[in-house]
Amino acid sequence: MVQRTDKQPGVLRSIDWITIIIYLALLVFGWVSVCGASYTYGDTDIFNLSSRSGMQIIWICTSIFIGLVLLLLDDRFYDTFSYVIYAALLLLLFATIFNPHEIKGSRSWLVLGPLRLQPAEFAKFATALAVAKLMSSYGYNIHKWKDFLKACAIVFTPMLFIVAQKETGSALVYLAFFLMFYREGMPGSILFTAVAMVFYFVIGIKFEDITLWDGHTSVGKFVVLLGVHIFTSVMIYANTGNLQKMKKALLYCLGGTILALLFSTFVIPFDVVWVQLLLCGFLIGYVLFLWLSSRIITYGYILAFAIGSIAFFYSADYVLDNVLQEHQRKRIEVLLGLKEDLSGAGYNVHQSEIAIGSGGLQGKGFLNGTQTKLKYVPEQDTDFIFCTVGEEEGFVGSAAVLLLFLALILRLIKLAERQPFRFGRVYGYCVLSVFLFHVFINVGMVLGLTPVIGIPLPFFSYGGSSLWGFTFLLFIFLRIDAGRNLIRE
């Protein structure tokens, strides 16, 4: 039985209209950007359905219609059929792997006559629903490894299918769900481990061929192994609260490293990395001793972190050279400054930076951008559409767009925090995490700050799949939020 309180008599009054206004504003800005990116000098009708700006109007109208339908459904529908929706999207993702149509090297698109759909965009909201359903079930505890691994399995399964479609960028988006896991109680050490791995990879690869003043020690290896010493020692204190044990570990590791550096500098030059590896072995043995003597399981996690850090670092070169595809490897090398390939892997980013920089403070005006009109920037109305904003609207327009996204993110946080049930809160943070990941990575890759992985900017990039997918994500949450004050018996 469902009763309505006097405060919330109906769905229309319960909907968060502020979020919808932000959504509509982003759609308008997005269409203006698509129009500017796809416009060619001499075009007389930007509303013609044969043009990309005209087609984007169709996608926008259908998205608004989809949003209305989602709002009209009972909010309990999404909870009840979460697993069914997830299973259906998994089957669709699996079927897409064998899709005979390959577009730009990817098999992630289903071609249905004139319509092309990308199931990976819709699998995001299905995965969010399934994770929310699992984590809101009776007795679920994210601190139990068995329960946590179940949630990870729900996230990683569509990732594997999407990778099999040769769509690595879309697969990486699913890592955003770990931000929600952290909000729901996932140990911070897991998130810290992920950040540490990025640090090891970037520093180790970028400075591997540079040596210290002794001429024998690689800067990359030296800094990474020093990081392993420090991170592992700090984790001892962070997870056990034992300051003395942390000090002892740091004293031996840092003291040994300094002595080795002095000996290499003033006595016999040699590769200090070998001493650092011996100190890593000492540190691992020390943590193992603490674990066996105290039987505290936390030391086991620290031990796994230390061993995993070394294994990850020494496998990074192999992964870069033998696992990643050639274009992915080149993009990483260009991003890290190892290579300057302005005519190849770095061309897109270089041209987008020129376009954004040429916009100045106020921009060149609507349809007046030269870099975009002359098609210097590849994928300028999809993955690199933010460069159009920078060129035509300048710093002022770019800042306005980013502020709109910030307003959306902050609003989603508020909506998620006010959910009375865990299902709504978990789903809300899933939506928030996906949007945050897309905006951060897309804008970052246009500015040359993050790797180019080919993901769209929400509500801006041309195309129906991404626009519909983001609309599903957002409006399902708005409908769940609209039912927050219903009293269910």
Side-chain angles (χ1 to χ4, degrees):
M1 178 179 179
V2 178
Q3 298 178 347
R4 297 186 183 274
T5 65
D6 293 335
K7 184 179 178 182
Q8 292 287 5
V11 173
L12 289 179
R13 290 185 59 184
S14 310
I15 293 172
D16 186 70
W17 289 101
I18 294 178
T19 304
I20 291 183
I21 291 172
I22 296 173
Y23 167 79
L24 293 174
L26 287 170
L27 288 181
V28 172
F29 268 102
W31 180 80
V32 170
S33 301
V34 169
C35 190
S38 59
Y39 177 79
T40 303
Y41 288 121
D43 286 348
T44 56
D45 189 2
I46 59 177
F47 299 101
N48 193 314
L49 295 183
S50 62
S51 66
R52 292 173 79 85
S53 57
M55 277 303 301
Q56 189 69 1
I57 294 177
I58 301 297
W59 301 133
I60 290 173
C61 291
T62 52
S63 294
I64 294 174
F65 175 76
I66 289 171
L68 291 174
V69 172
L70 294 172
L71 291 176
L72 291 175
L73 293 174
D74 193 301
D75 60 296
R76 293 171 297 179
F77 172 85
Y78 305 112
D79 189 340
T80 304
F81 293 98
S82 294
Y83 290 144
V84 176
I85 296 171
Y86 177 72
L89 264 298
L90 280 186
L91 287 174
L92 195 58
L93 285 176
F94 182 73
T96 308
I97 297 174
F98 307 99
N99 171 31
H101 301 282
E102 187 169 306
I103 300 174
K104 297 181 181 179
S106 171
R107 293 180 178 272
S108 62
W109 296 86
L110 288 178
V111 180
L112 306 173
L115 185 65
R116 297 190 305 182
L117 293 176
Q118 192 173 20
E121 295 295 333
F122 302 100
K124 295 170 191 174
F125 84 84
T127 303
L129 285 173
V131 169
K133 179 71 172 179
L134 172 69
M135 296 182 67
S136 62
S137 60
Y138 178 75
Y140 182 88
N141 187 350
I142 197 171
H143 296 287
K144 295 180 180 178
W145 278 103
K146 183 178 179 181
D147 287 348
F148 178 60
L149 291 177
K150 286 180 182 178
C152 289
I154 291 177
V155 173
F156 286 134
T157 302
M159 280 186 68
L160 293 175
F161 290 165
I162 294 170
V163 169
Q165 299 169 7
K166 301 179 181 179
E167 190 65 32
T168 310
S170 296
L172 291 176
V173 173
Y174 288 77
L175 295 177
F177 285 98
F178 279 82
L179 294 176
M180 177 275 297
F181 289 151
Y182 179 69
R183 164 60 183 83
E184 293 300 312
M186 181 186 75
S189 56
I190 295 179
L191 202 59
F192 174 77
T193 300
V195 174
M197 296 303 172
V198 174
F199 171 80
Y200 299 152
F201 184 84
V202 172
I203 299 298
I205 296 297
K206 184 175 179 63
F207 300 102
E208 182 179 15
D209 297 327
I210 302 174
T211 58
L212 292 177
W213 56 84
D214 63 2
H216 291 77
T217 307
S218 166
V219 172
K221 292 180 179 179
F222 177 84
V223 174
V224 167
L225 292 176
L226 190 64
V228 174
H229 296 163
I230 296 173
F231 294 161
T232 304
S233 301
V234 171
M235 285 186 72
I236 293 175
Y237 173 71
N239 288 278
T240 66
N242 195 317
L243 184 61
Q244 293 302 318
K245 288 185 172 60
M246 182 195 76
K247 288 181 177 180
K248 184 181 293 186
L250 280 176
L251 177 63
Y252 283 113
C253 290
L254 297 183
T257 301
I258 292 172
L259 289 175
L261 274 174
L262 292 174
F263 188 86
S264 175
T265 302
F266 298 106
V267 185
I268 301 175
F270 73 101
D271 191 351
V272 178
V273 168
W274 290 107
V275 174
Q276 289 184 296
L277 286 172
L278 287 175
L279 291 171
C280 283
F282 159 76
L283 189 59
I284 290 171
Y286 179 61
V287 175
L288 180 60
F289 169 76
L290 293 176
W291 185 19
L292 295 176
S293 60
S294 65
R295 302 294 181 180
I296 299 176
I297 190 64
T298 306
Y299 284 119
Y301 302 150
I302 300 172
L303 183 67
F305 171 83
I307 297 174
S309 295
I310 298 171
F312 175 83
F313 170 62
Y314 277 94
S315 64
D317 278 335
Y318 177 82
V319 172
L320 186 65
D321 295 333
N322 299 284
V323 176
L324 295 180
Q325 297 179 16
E326 184 178 357
H327 70 279
Q328 295 170 329
R329 182 172 65 253
K330 287 183 177 179
R331 286 174 178 175
I332 291 175
E333 290 173 341
V334 170
L335 178 69
L336 297 181
L338 299 176
K339 292 182 179 179
E340 186 175 353
D341 186 12
L342 300 183
S343 61
Y347 178 80
N348 292 22
V349 175
H350 181 63
Q351 292 298 328
S352 69
E353 289 174 340
I354 293 175
I356 292 174
S358 67
L361 179 63
Q362 296 181 331
K364 298 177 180 178
F366 181 54
L367 302 182
N368 289 323
T370 53
Q371 291 291 117
T372 50
K373 299 304 159 295
L374 297 175
K375 314 300 181 186
Y376 281 116
V377 186
E379 311 297 337
Q380 62 188 22
D381 58 357
T382 52
D383 299 341
F384 283 82
I385 194 166
F386 191 72
C387 73
T388 305
V389 179
E391 184 179 30
E392 295 193 347
E393 310 303 328
F395 175 81
V396 174
S398 300
V401 169
L402 293 178
L403 286 174
L404 267 178
F405 278 117
L406 177 61
L408 177 64
I409 296 299
L410 293 177
R411 195 66 190 171
L412 290 175
I413 293 175
K414 181 177 181 178
L415 299 188
E417 286 295 334
R418 75 183 184 186
Q419 298 306 304
F421 303 107
R422 195 177 191 187
F423 176 82
R425 186 179 73 244
V426 171
Y427 182 81
Y429 271 101
C430 287
V431 175
L432 162 68
S433 300
V434 171
F435 276 112
L436 187 62
F437 187 92
H438 269 274
V439 174
F440 180 80
I441 296 297
N442 183 277
V443 174
M445 72 183 192
V446 170
L447 296 176
L449 301 176
T450 58
V452 179
I453 61 174
I455 61 174
L457 185 62
F459 312 123
F460 274 71
S461 297
Y462 172 81
S465 292
S466 65
L467 191 53
W468 290 354
F470 289 125
T471 299
F472 270 102
L473 262 174
L474 183 61
F475 276 79
I476 287 176
F477 181 46
L478 289 177
R479 182 60 187 91
I480 292 172
D481 175 69
R484 68 189 180 280
N485 286 323
L486 294 180
I487 301 176
R488 306 185 188 279
E489 297 179 353

